[in-house]
Amino acid sequence: MHKSVRSAFMALLMVSAMVLTPFAATPARADLVIEGRAAQALHCSAMLFLLSAELHDQGFISRNSRDAAQRAALVMLDYVPGTDVQRIRAMEQRFARIMNSRTPRQLFKEYDDTAKWCRKTFLK
């Protein structure tokens, strides 16, 4: 799963390069508190982003499917308040929290249990 995390971070960096100004590329903590539905959106987004990278890395889905899933994850991320920079930093922090608290099997199970709700709630 470490390769998938690396893939997800690289994809997120590529996306951030499209939205960040050259001066905003300095790494730092997200400086906002995310709670409630926004926190749920962030978590759904991060899980989908990570899992799509993992499934692609393992050969289970195509690049196009991974890219479509990651675009959907970014739509979910729109529910998170703040600037693009703050949302991307929050996503990076959520990646780390997920990876430090779950095994790949636990993450797959969690997403399997919540994917329908995530889609219904954040991909209207």
Side-chain angles (χ1 to χ4, degrees):
M1 186 110 156
H2 292 294
K3 180 179 176 189
S4 297
V5 174
R6 197 173 332 119
S7 297
F9 276 125
M10 292 304 295
L12 189 60
L13 287 173
M14 288 172 35
V15 169
S16 67
M18 293 184 281
V19 297
L20 300 178
T21 65
F23 304 104
T26 307
R29 272 187 324 113
D31 53 0
L32 70 148
V33 175
I34 301 170
E35 300 174 316
R37 279 281 198 242
Q40 291 170 327
L42 176 62
H43 190 72
C44 286
S45 177
M47 284 193 303
L48 180 56
F49 214 95
L50 283 170
L51 288 176
S52 62
E54 175 69 13
L55 291 171
H56 176 263
D57 289 350
Q58 298 299 322
F60 291 112
I61 63 172
S62 68
R63 179 185 300 173
N64 287 342
S65 293
R66 180 205 59 202
D67 293 350
Q70 291 181 347
R71 281 191 299 276
L74 293 175
V75 169
M76 291 178 189
L77 196 59
D78 284 342
Y79 284 84
V80 177
T83 66
D84 289 338
V85 172
Q86 291 169 322
R87 286 194 296 260
I88 289 168
R89 288 180 182 151
M91 181 76 110
E92 291 169 346
Q93 289 176 2
R94 186 55 57 114
F95 284 166
R97 185 172 297 145
I98 288 171
M99 297 311 299
N100 290 328
S101 64
R102 292 159 182 81
T103 66
R105 184 176 299 243
Q106 289 170 328
L107 179 57
F108 277 103
K109 168 111 176 67
E110 180 181 356
Y111 191 75
D112 189 47
D113 292 344
T114 61
K116 186 175 181 179
W117 181 87
C118 287
R119 281 191 305 272
K120 186 176 105 181
T121 305
F122 301 114
L123 294 176
K124 297 176 185 180

